[in-house]
Amino acid sequence: MDVEQLDDWYSRSQRRALVELLVKRVGLTRTRAEYFVRLWVYLLVKQLIERQPRKKPPLEKLELPSEALQCTHREAAELFYSDGDRGSDRAAGMMLDKLEALGLIKKHFDGNTTTIEIQPLPEIVGTVEPDPLVKLKIDAFDPGSDAIPVANLLATNYNWMNRNSNAVPYKIVKFLREWASQYSKGMRVLRREDNLNTVGFYLLYPTASSSDVNFFSSPSKSLHFSSASDVDPFQMAIPGDENCVSVFVRSWMIDTPYLAEYRIPFMEDIQQVLVELQQDFPKLCDLHTLLIHPSYEKLAHCLGFHKTSCTGPIYWMYLPLNRFLALDIKEALKNL
């Protein structure tokens, strides 16, 4: 399908409106957002024609395809580049990788064919409802079984910037297991009860006083998962350290389908765990976090965090620990 055929199914003006929503949401370039919308329309039309061969344009509405659909790199190249300079199949494959890193698609490869699944975007297709039969539980992080799935989940938070490809899951796994061996009390997961897969994770990192200066330095120096260095800029405090005053929320993420339903209990769990951390670090008083993905900005503001640096899309945020512990999470997030 070339772009002219695409226009018949879903007009340029309709696609342009979606692009405007996307570039505000996740920091996509306009070009990549346009490619994503083209891919979405193409896969939806492909599914409709497979089921209804006599189906004619235009689309009544843009909705999520109900399954992953085959899309070769050649098909993607025709879709992305047919109205401009011809891009290679390899370039199209790299673009698909970037869209996956942004959390917009999921790719599946069975050894022969690649299928693509469009990920739900609540502001475009309505609220994402999780499967009511799937129940989740909050559990302790298990470095043996959870490190790899959590690493794959967290990588999308870093790769949306597309500045480099250093935020590989392997590196994240290494850090997670190292931190868990030092102090695992602040590492928690949101786990499916049916298959025990992890769909959420947070990490509370008690910080040694020698590392506190990093909270007042350039945020880019603290992107531990996407930096070229294997040296962690933060040192973890040892339980009983009376000079430890800071907790670094190094990660907080829930997979999209479960976010609306489980963000409140997951946040309430943080409050309980922070109280436990205070037993090990009696002078804790500061809560810092690094806002890496813009989709969590509203959540942070609702909790009372405020910016302490303004250096582009990535910045430090701060909240006094006692204010967070006194917060009624349900009330704070009721309008989110």
Side-chain angles (χ1 to χ4, degrees), residues 100-320:
E100 183 175 37
L102 286 158
L104 299 173
I105 66 173
K106 280 188 179 178
K107 294 197 312 177
H108 309 277
F109 183 67
D110 63 5
N112 294 306
T113 60
T114 298
T115 57
I116 294 176
E117 180 182 353
I118 301 295
Q119 294 303 283
L121 302 173
E123 70 271 48
I124 294 177
V125 297
T127 302
V128 179
E129 296 292 340
D131 185 340
L133 298 180
V134 174
K135 300 299 180 184
L136 307 184
K137 64 179 180 179
I138 300 173
D139 199 6
F141 174 82
D142 182 339
S145 60
D146 292 331
I148 290 176
V150 167
N152 282 298
L153 185 68
L154 297 182
T156 60
N157 259 8
Y158 287 81
N159 286 338
W160 77 269
M161 295 175 287
N162 288 299
R163 293 180 178 179
N164 55 52
S165 58
N166 292 320
V168 292
Y170 168 77
K171 185 174 183 178
I172 300 177
V173 168
K174 178 183 175 182
F175 275 114
L176 292 176
R177 287 177 171 160
E178 181 179 326
W179 294 333
S181 69
Q182 296 176 52
Y183 187 78
S184 62
K185 190 176 291 185
M187 303 175 76
R188 304 277 280 172
V189 298
L190 193 59
R191 192 188 306 283
R192 289 178 57 141
E193 291 187 354
D194 58 348
N195 56 21
L196 302 183
N197 288 344
T198 52
V199 296
F201 174 75
Y202 73 73
L203 167 59
L204 304 177
Y205 189 97
T207 306
S209 59
S210 59
S211 298
D212 282 349
V213 66
N214 291 320
F215 297 125
F216 305 92
S217 302
S218 172
S220 61
K221 295 180 180 179
S222 299
L223 290 174
H224 46 292
F225 289 156
S226 61
S227 68
S229 173
D230 286 331
V231 178
D232 189 350
F234 287 87
Q235 295 300 310
M236 183 179 287
I238 299 172
D241 183 356
E242 294 191 355
N243 293 317
C244 173
V245 297
S246 302
V247 175
F248 179 11
V249 186
R250 297 196 85 158
S251 296
W252 191 96
M253 186 176 182
I254 298 178
D255 203 9
T256 303
Y258 311 100
L259 179 60
E261 183 175 354
Y262 286 95
R263 60 189 164 205
I264 288 176
F266 211 38
M267 200 63 68
E268 290 173 335
D269 189 72
I270 286 184
Q271 289 181 313
Q272 296 173 20
V273 172
L274 280 170
V275 171
E276 295 178 22
L277 262 63
Q278 286 182 314
Q279 305 304 310
D280 294 332
F281 304 96
K283 292 190 178 180
L284 287 180
C285 58
D286 298 326
L287 202 56
H288 299 271
T289 191
L290 191 60
L291 192 75
I292 295 169
H293 200 289
S295 63
Y296 290 104
E297 183 175 17
K298 289 183 180 179
L299 173 66
H301 282 298
C302 287
L303 293 170
F305 281 91
H306 63 271
K307 293 182 183 180
T308 55
S309 66
C310 298
T311 54
I314 306 164
Y315 49 84
W316 285 111
M317 300 190 81
Y318 169 76
L319 179 65

